[in-house]
Amino acid sequence: DEQGYLTLRQALPPATAAALSAMADEAAALPRGACYPWLLHDERSRVDGEVRICRVENFVKHHRGWGEVGLGLLQQLVTQAFRAPAVLFKDKINFKGPGGGGFLAHQDATAYATDKLATRHISVRLPIDDSTAHNGPLEVAPGQHRRGILPHETGIIVSEQEAAMRFEPLPVSPGDVVLFDSYLPHRSSANHSDTWRRSGYYTYNLASEGDFHAAYYAEKAETWAAGEGGKISITNDFGGHIVS
């Protein structure tokens, strides 16, 4: 509650941590098309110009392995953090390949339609690869979640606010688990290494507010259909070059 995030070292069972890379490959290989519920996005690398996958989302309920992790152990962890039952709100993998784009300083709550859907969320990050100083690690601003929604433009925290906050990088490895509040400001730089920095993310809300998983993705589709929103999100925090 005080810092807005919690890192649990090697909280995943070793067999689960070891399986994450292959599970991410399976998610990246899902068939594409509007007839499928999941969403896949590609970006152009800043390093070599290659087009690589950058995100898959809305797939956990259609993949046995990711579903077992997200609807089992992690949901139990978030229930403990909430001190009340939790339910899955959204799910994604950010792939961040070599030259992959980072994310500008933002708060997830600005993209979660809190005026229509759930008002409070906890996200869980599962590193699939090591996060280092060179591949764009997640950076958080401890304690700043208690300030509510900060001044922003299309989800991006205004520069004056960002400059006044202290951000800490979170170096993590497969098997670690990071929980963070949806109001916690965070960001990440581009991947300047020649390796991948993949991370799975599960976001949960209080079950007492309702099950909004389908409603969130419907809201996202409506936002894009109206010509609004960002490149891969309801907001505009992604710093990479999306390829349609």
Side-chain angles (χ1 to χ4, degrees), residues 3-70:
Q3 298 296 314
Y5 76 97
L6 176 65
T7 301
L8 303 173
R9 299 294 181 185
Q10 297 304 295
L12 284 185
T16 301
L20 291 179
S21 183
M23 287 165 52
D25 290 342
E26 291 169 2
L30 287 168
R32 300 182 179 223
C35 60
Y36 299 106
W38 45 79
L39 303 170
L40 293 92
H41 305 280
D42 298 318
E43 67 175 320
R44 189 173 302 280
S45 169
R46 298 168 181 267
V47 172
D48 54 19
E50 291 292 319
V51 174
R52 299 187 177 96
I53 189 167
C54 66
R55 176 177 287 184
V56 177
E57 57 182 310
N58 193 21
F59 68 96
V60 161
K61 293 186 177 183
H62 309 281
H63 187 283
R64 180 178 177 180
W66 287 105
E68 289 177 349
V69 174

